[in-house]
PDB file of all heavy atoms in Angstrom:
ATOM      1  N   THR A1142     109.231  94.123  95.990  1.00  0.00           N
ATOM      2  CA  THR A1142     108.601  94.345  97.292  1.00  0.00           C
ATOM      3  C   THR A1142     108.759  93.109  98.173  1.00  0.00           C
ATOM      4  O   THR A1142     108.497  91.994  97.720  1.00  0.00           O
ATOM      5  CB  THR A1142     107.090  94.623  97.088  1.00  0.00           C
ATOM      6  OG1 THR A1142     106.949  95.689  96.144  1.00  0.00           O
ATOM      7  CG2 THR A1142     106.403  94.998  98.390  1.00  0.00           C
ATOM      8  N   ILE A1143     109.175  93.330  99.403  1.00  0.00           N
ATOM      9  CA  ILE A1143     109.310  92.229 100.373  1.00  0.00           C
ATOM     10  C   ILE A1143     107.928  91.900 100.944  1.00  0.00           C
ATOM     11  O   ILE A1143     107.183  92.805 101.327  1.00  0.00           O
ATOM     12  CB  ILE A1143     110.269  92.651 101.511  1.00  0.00           C
ATOM     13  CG1 ILE A1143     111.690  92.820 100.965  1.00  0.00           C
ATOM     14  CG2 ILE A1143     110.235  91.659 102.675  1.00  0.00           C
ATOM     15  CD1 ILE A1143     112.654  93.435 101.968  1.00  0.00           C
ATOM     16  N   ILE A1144     107.597  90.620 101.006  1.00  0.00           N
ATOM     17  CA  ILE A1144     106.340  90.170 101.626  1.00  0.00           C
ATOM     18  C   ILE A1144     106.651  89.708 103.048  1.00  0.00           C
ATOM     19  O   ILE A1144     107.376  88.727 103.253  1.00  0.00           O
ATOM     20  CB  ILE A1144     105.710  89.006 100.831  1.00  0.00           C
ATOM     21  CG1 ILE A1144     105.426  89.425  99.382  1.00  0.00           C
ATOM     22  CG2 ILE A1144     104.443  88.505 101.526  1.00  0.00           C
ATOM     23  CD1 ILE A1144     104.869  88.296  98.504  1.00  0.00           C
ATOM     24  N   GLU A1145     106.088  90.434 104.022  1.00  0.00           N
ATOM     25  CA  GLU A1145     106.311  90.101 105.438  1.00  0.00           C
ATOM     26  C   GLU A1145     104.971  89.725 106.071  1.00  0.00           C
ATOM     27  O   GLU A1145     103.930  90.297 105.704  1.00  0.00           O
ATOM     28  CB  GLU A1145     106.924  91.310 106.162  1.00  0.00           C
ATOM     29  CG  GLU A1145     107.332  91.034 107.610  1.00  0.00           C
ATOM     30  CD  GLU A1145     107.972  92.252 108.293  1.00  0.00           C
ATOM     31  OE1 GLU A1145     107.650  93.401 107.913  1.00  0.00           O
ATOM     32  OE2 GLU A1145     108.782  92.048 109.210  1.00  0.00           O
ATOM     33  N   ILE A1146     104.990  88.782 107.005  1.00  0.00           N
ATOM     34  CA  ILE A1146     103.752  88.330 107.661  1.00  0.00           C
ATOM     35  C   ILE A1146     103.892  88.462 109.164  1.00  0.00           C
ATOM     36  O   ILE A1146     104.962  88.189 109.731  1.00  0.00           O
ATOM     37  CB  ILE A1146     103.453  86.835 107.325  1.00  0.00           C
ATOM     38  CG1 ILE A1146     103.673  86.547 105.842  1.00  0.00           C
ATOM     39  CG2 ILE A1146     102.049  86.448 107.791  1.00  0.00           C
ATOM     40  CD1 ILE A1146     102.775  87.281 104.895  1.00  0.00           C
ATOM     41  N   ASP A1147     102.799  88.858 109.799  1.00  0.00           N
ATOM     42  CA  ASP A1147     102.839  89.189 111.228  1.00  0.00           C
ATOM     43  C   ASP A1147     101.637  88.609 111.968  1.00  0.00           C
ATOM     44  O   ASP A1147     100.488  88.989 111.695  1.00  0.00           O
ATOM     45  CB  ASP A1147     102.834  90.727 111.341  1.00  0.00           C
ATOM     46  CG  ASP A1147     103.062  91.232 112.745  1.00  0.00           C
ATOM     47  OD1 ASP A1147     103.250  90.412 113.658  1.00  0.00           O
ATOM     48  OD2 ASP A1147     103.052  92.467 112.908  1.00  0.00           O
ATOM     49  N   GLY A1148     101.927  87.716 112.916  1.00  0.00           N
ATOM     50  CA  GLY A1148     100.887  87.217 113.815  1.00  0.00           C
ATOM     51  C   GLY A1148     100.735  85.704 113.787  1.00  0.00           C
ATOM     52  O   GLY A1148     100.499  85.116 112.733  1.00  0.00           O
ATOM     53  N   GLY A1149     100.908  85.086 114.947  1.00  0.00           N
ATOM     54  CA  GLY A1149     100.688  83.640 115.062  1.00  0.00           C
ATOM     55  C   GLY A1149     101.682  82.786 114.294  1.00  0.00           C
ATOM     56  O   GLY A1149     101.373  81.653 113.921  1.00  0.00           O
TER      57      GLY A1149
END
Side-chain angles (χ1 to χ4, degrees):
T1142 307
I1143 293 171
I1144 301 177
E1145 186 179 28
I1146 316 297
D1147 188 1

